[in-house]
Structures are given as structure tokens and as C-alpha cells.
Amino acid sequence: MINSTTPENELENALISPEQAAAQAQANYTNVVKSESPSYAAPRSVPLSNTNSQITNRTLTQNDTLYKSLDNRLSAETNGNTIQSRGITQSTTGERKKFKIDVKGWYNNMNPKRRLWIVIGVVVLLLLVAVLIILAATGVFRSSNKLTVSLFSANTKQLWLEGMQKEFNDQNFPVENTVMTAAINITHGGSNVSSINPLPDSWSPQNFLWIQQLSDQYKNNISYLFPNGSPDCKSVAVSPVGIAMWKPMAEAMGWPNANIGWKDIISIAGNNSGWSTYGKPWGALRFGHGQPEFSNSGRLTLIAAIYALTTPSGGISVNDANSTAAAAALQKLSAAVQHMGAIDTDLIALMAKRGLTYLHAASTYEANVIQFNLKNPTQERLVFIYPSDGTFWSENPLCVLTGDQNRASVVKKFRDYILTRNAQTKLVQLGLRPVTTFADISLTQTSGTLFSQANGVLAQKTLENVKQIPYPNAETMQAVINTWKNVKKPSVSLLVIDTSGSMSGRGTNGVSAIESVRNAATAFINAMLPQDYLVILQFSTSARILTPSGTGSTTNLTTFALTPAWRASAVSQVADFIPDGETLLRDSIGQATEVMNGFRADDKAANVRKNYGIIVMTDGRDTSSTKYKSADALANSLPDGTESDQVHIFTIGFGDEVDENELTRVANRTNGKFYKGNVLNVASLYQQLSLEY
């Protein structure tokens, strides 16, 4: 029993929890019903526990003042309807018994401290749920695995895309229907994607001309290039094609106020008087452009030159490309070309390395001139000429190449990301122009802009005042390339071939070094153009120069004109090479250089222009040279590379014993390149070297 002096205190002490109150109410209700119905049995549907209450023996009556005096926290009505106790309600009407929780009543009658703790708990729970929702939205709970797609891009927008790649990858954007996050990996290597196998997930050439070209190339299997059957491409940046020229030379032609066009460049290129036309002592124009079969700016240069001299009403046609006017334009321009390259930035790098005397001008993009001046603040300035007779405003499309839905969604997500105002504004800060959608972004007023005359560019030159040349179709473009090949300046190639005893071994992929060299030389000879010249120097313990049928002067270049007979004879003699003897490497390179310098001197005296290249193929190190006993002695005897029409030496090393350092040194001094010989690049040797000269 409850030891309390008053009934009120007795019941107050008993009601210490809702659970106990429920039990007590059930017990009291049972006693009341029992008193009215001796046969009563507690219903199974009301599972109440703890019915052993200290007040279960109390008799409840309608006039019981005890429950009325407890401020409604416990009341019992025995008129057959309701019993209520601290939020616990049970109906007793008829034989149906219902039990429910009165939350409001329970809460209102709760101890204030307990009520406070419940409020705090609910608030904390809600905050935790909110935090979890935010974290889920930001991808924290996503897998750490990334779905990384590939992008092959032209090089002009490299700096911008490198920044965009980092920003995008740091965002951890979710990939729909997966637990992975989106990422992209970008390779910068030019506009031509056709030689890449397998194809990347996406591609961003310099302009839509490439898309047109490759669509035609794959017209019978277009889904290989574009899985949906048609190009999914959008422009992401704009940059005009023009001419990078040293500032003093551009000023001699009237820059920045004069209108300078391709006609002016072709005129000075085809004039033996060269710069004397402008009263300057700089000799003949030395020009450079990318190899048109691989370089975007290179092919656009040819189109622009033909357009300037044929002046068609629209874009140039196949007939224009095959015309005598087109041939004359390209022949004059080719006469001034001293160096080509796979990409135009290679030429800009050579101009930075060799200075004003190497190349006077080169075809490139506006952005490359800006970047040159930023990277070389102590050098003479390059300036950008916007050809007044028309040029191309490259759109830099970004295309989806993958057919995988998830990978395609990542490519499109990245493309959308770099087409935001924020990303487009950063173009201006790196020397590129925004797409037309964001033409309102100021080139001169944007914070951090690089568009200024101090950086060699003129922001006031736009599509409105510099004519846009229409792109030709694929058939016309091929006609342009063919015309160029027919009239381009002849090349003189001297193959220096190692046939020493060591060439019998140390091959690649099971192919001996001598077999690799025979294959490479044969492929090179067969790919040469009819107007070219071929000289072959074979060496082992000693060196000898091959001639057609073993006859003819080895000092007269006409002996080596690439007639069909000499081409066939050269292939036959190379096939008979057998490895034997020592390795007279340095003396043979020195002898080849002397021979080529003699040819070059004769041509200059006759006012004839050619390109000169030596290609060295070897598998080892020098073992028997007597004239050039050291690498230093040989290097010091070679052309110093300061003049673009000097002999270029390209070295190819086969096997593991080759002295790569010495061969690289020889190539670099003469503005050539070193190649590591293997089965893959042997077949394309001429193609690779034709990019350079």
C-alpha cells in the first residue's frame, strides 16, 4: 500500500510514468467491469502489462472526488463510455474495447525537464538528417571510383582545357544511374583523330573542317566515328588563323595600321629580292607552316593562299584548287617554306629557340602569339597579322565519339561545364575568344584579359571586319593537298644506313635490326615524291655512297634525281644489305653532312631552293671512327641550326645498345629529331619525317 497521509498524495506518488498510468487505468477498469459482470474476462486484444498496481483495488465511482482533484491528469468515468489516465484513453462502449495514445495530452502533462530534452533530441535529429541530405547531394557517399572519359584535342586551347579538366574533376559530378563520379583525361596532339585506335570518347579539332573531312572519309561506316549516325558537336572556343611575324618585320610591312594579306606574303615569298622590296637587308622570306596533311593551320594556309589569288565569289572549288593560279600561289609560298611541323606550336617553339634569323613568320593561331609573348618576355615580340583578304575563325568544336551512354553523358557534362559564362570568361584570360553565345564578354575590359597590342594582338579585329573564308568540301580539300604536293619545294634526302655486324641481332619484336632498317628504308624510298632527290650512304668498317647502277658523280645532285629507274635500283640495293664489320658511325655522319652542304652550296649559287635532310639508321655505338673520335668533335662540325635552310639531321636508333644521348644531341643541334626505331614507326618513317621538311 501507499504510505501517504492523503489520498491526493497517495495517487500523485503512484503516477510516475505513462506506462504505469496505463497499467493502473487498465487494472481499475477491470475491477469496475468485474463488479458489474461476474462473468467478465479481460479481452485478448488489449495487451496491457504491469497491472500489479498499488491502486487496483480501489473502486471507481462517478462521484469519486479523488480523480477530479488531480487537475485532469487521471479521470475515470464509469457510465459505460470512457476511462482516461495521463494521455491513455480506452473506450468501453458495448463489447468493443479500443485503446489509443493521446500524444498531446501525454506531452502537456510531461515533466518540463523531460519535455526540454525531447525538444532538443528532435532538433538534433532534424539537423542530422539535413546534414546527411547535403552530404548525399555533394557526392560524399558516392563511390570513390571515377568514370574517366578521354578527350583528344587540338593544341591551341591546351592551357584552358588543362584548367577546365582540373576544375571539372574536382567537382565529383555524379554519373547518372551509377555510384561513380565524372572525370575527364585530355590529350593534346593536333586535330587529326583518324590514326588513333581505339578512338577516344570525345574529340575537339580546331574547326568543323575536320569533322567534314572525316565524315566523308567514313561515309560508308559513319557509325564508327559518330555512333548516332551524325556528328554531336558544339563549338567551345574561337580563335582566328593568321600569321605570326617578328614585330620589326611586321612593322616594315605596315603593321598595325596597314591591311596585310596573303597576297602580300605570297608576293614577298616568290620574290628573290625578298625583304629588299621593303628596303630591309633580311634576305629572302623564311616562312613556316604545319604539314597540311596533318596540321590544321597548315591546310588552312593553303586554302587561304588559293582563295587570295583566285578570288572566288564563294568558297574555292575543285576547279579553283586545280587551276594554274592555285599552283602558282602554292609554288611561290612553298619556295619560302623552310620548316614544317606536325603542329604549328613546334614552329613557334623553334622561333623562340633560334630567334629572328631562323623563321621570319609562320602560320598559327592568335592565342599562340599571346602565349609566346607571355613566356618569352625578354625576346623580341611576335605580332599577329589578321589577313585582310580573308581567313578562318576556328570554332573548336567538341564532339562525342563514344556510343556508351554513361561515357557520353560525362562528355556532355564536361562540354556543358566549359560552356558556362565563368569558363568562357577564362578563355579571354588565356588569349582565346568566347563562342558567339557569349560575345558580350569584353576582350579588353574583362579582368585579367590578355588581348592587347603589347601582347601582339588587336582586339578590334573581329568577324565583322576580317572576312571569314568558307570551308571547302572534302573533295576540294584533297585537290588542294594534291596541288601542293605537285608544286612543293623539292627535298633532298640522304639515308645513312648502318650495316655493321651488330645489325644482325638485337631486333625488335623478333625482327633483326638489319631487317628493320631494310624495311624502313624501302618504305621511305617508295613514299618519296617524284620531284625529290635520294642519296644513300652505306657504312660498316668503311662508308660508300650508292649511285644508280653504280655510275654517276657522287658530288653532282642531278645524279640522285628520283627517276623511276633510280627508285627501283635503290630498293634493290637496300634489299641486298648484309651485316658485317665495325661501326664507323661518327665519320659517316660527318661525311654525309659534307656531301649535303656541298649540294646546298651549289643550289644557293644557282638561286635554287630545296629542303635538305639526313636520316641516320643505326643500332649501336661508334667503334672505328678516326676523323671524329668524340661526340663533341662531331657535334662541333655539324650545322649550328641557326638558319632554317641548313641541313636537318634525323636519327633513328634500333635495339638496346644504341647511344640515344649522342644521337639525340646530333638531331637537336640541327633542328632534327631522334626516333626510337620499332616496327610501328618504321612503316610510317617517310610520313613522320615529311612533317618536318
Side-chain angles (χ1 to χ4, degrees), residues 99-161:
F99 182 75
K100 60 182 180 179
I101 302 296
D102 182 1
V103 176
K104 182 176 181 181
W106 171 72
Y107 178 77
N108 288 337
N109 290 293
M110 186 181 296
N111 182 291
K113 287 186 178 180
R114 180 174 295 174
R115 186 187 306 169
L116 176 62
W117 281 112
I118 289 176
V119 171
I120 292 174
V122 171
V123 171
V124 170
L125 180 61
L126 291 175
L127 288 175
L128 179 60
V129 170
V131 169
L132 291 176
I133 292 173
I134 293 172
L135 292 177
T138 57
V140 169
F141 299 119
R142 302 185 73 84
S143 167
S144 59
N145 294 330
K146 288 183 175 291
L147 178 57
T148 303
V149 299
S150 57
L151 168 62
F152 183 76
S153 173
N155 57 295
T156 301
K157 51 189 179 290
Q158 179 172 347
L159 289 177
W160 177 60
L161 283 182

Side-chain angles (χ1 to χ4, degrees), residues 12-31:
E12 182 74 14
N13 292 333
L15 298 175
I16 59 175
S17 74
E19 293 80 3
Q20 289 175 327
Q24 292 165 359
Q26 174 64 33
N28 293 338
Y29 169 72
T30 302
N31 288 336

Side-chain angles (χ1 to χ4, degrees), residues 46 89-92 96-100:
V46 185
T89 302
Q90 181 165 312
S91 174
T92 61
R96 297 179 62 189
K97 279 66 176 185
K98 296 182 179 178
F99 182 75
K100 60 182 180 179

Side-chain angles (χ1 to χ4, degrees), residues 480-645:
V480 170
I481 296 293
N482 292 339
T483 298
W484 168 75
K485 283 184 175 181
N486 291 334
V487 301
K488 72 181 287 288
K489 186 167 53 176
S491 294
V492 182
S493 298
L494 197 162
L495 304 184
V496 179
I497 300 178
D498 183 355
T499 60
S500 62
S502 61
M503 292 289 287
S504 61
R506 294 193 296 275
T508 302
N509 296 336
V511 180
S512 68
I514 191 64
E515 186 175 353
S516 293
V517 166
R518 285 195 294 249
N519 292 339
T522 299
F524 185 94
I525 294 167
N526 285 331
M528 292 178 69
L529 298 177
Q531 66 265 39
D532 291 340
Y533 295 81
L534 171 66
V535 186
I536 300 175
L537 186 151
Q538 175 196 6
F539 75 91
S540 54
T541 302
S542 59
R544 70 186 182 101
I545 294 177
L546 278 60
T547 58
S549 302
T551 61
S553 169
T554 59
T555 59
N556 188 338
L557 185 56
T558 57
T559 301
F560 303 101
L562 194 58
T563 63
W566 174 217
R567 192 193 299 266
S569 175
V571 169
S572 177
Q573 292 186 66
V574 167
D576 292 335
F577 284 164
I578 296 176
D580 183 47
E582 298 295 325
T583 306
L584 193 74
L585 180 59
R586 296 192 193 106
D587 282 0
S588 297
I589 294 174
Q591 180 181 346
T593 303
E594 291 171 6
V595 169
M596 287 290 266
N597 284 340
F599 293 153
R600 176 173 174 262
D602 291 342
D603 286 338
K604 291 191 76 170
N607 205 21
V608 174
R609 302 181 189 180
K610 297 185 180 75
N611 291 324
Y612 307 91
I614 295 174
I615 300 94
V616 180
M617 303 180 190
T618 182
D619 79 323
R621 303 166 183 265
D622 190 288
T623 62
S624 58
S625 289
T626 57
K627 184 174 182 179
Y628 303 104
K629 294 183 178 181
S630 68
D632 286 342
L634 174 62
N636 292 335
S637 72
L638 300 176
D640 59 9
T642 57
E643 296 182 27
S644 54
D645 64 342

Side-chain angles (χ1 to χ4, degrees), residues 1-15 24 53-56 58 66:
M1 299 294 293
I2 301 174
N3 297 321
S4 177
T5 58
T6 68
E8 290 84 353
N9 289 338
E10 176 184 324
L11 193 56
E12 182 74 14
N13 292 333
L15 298 175
Q24 292 165 359
S53 170
Q54 294 177 332
I55 62 170
T56 56
R58 283 189 59 85
L66 171 63

Side-chain angles (χ1 to χ4, degrees), residues 184-203:
I184 193 163
N185 181 55
I186 306 175
T187 301
H188 304 273
S191 292
N192 193 346
V193 76
S194 62
S195 61
I196 299 177
N197 188 18
L199 287 173
D201 297 306
S202 54
W203 170 46

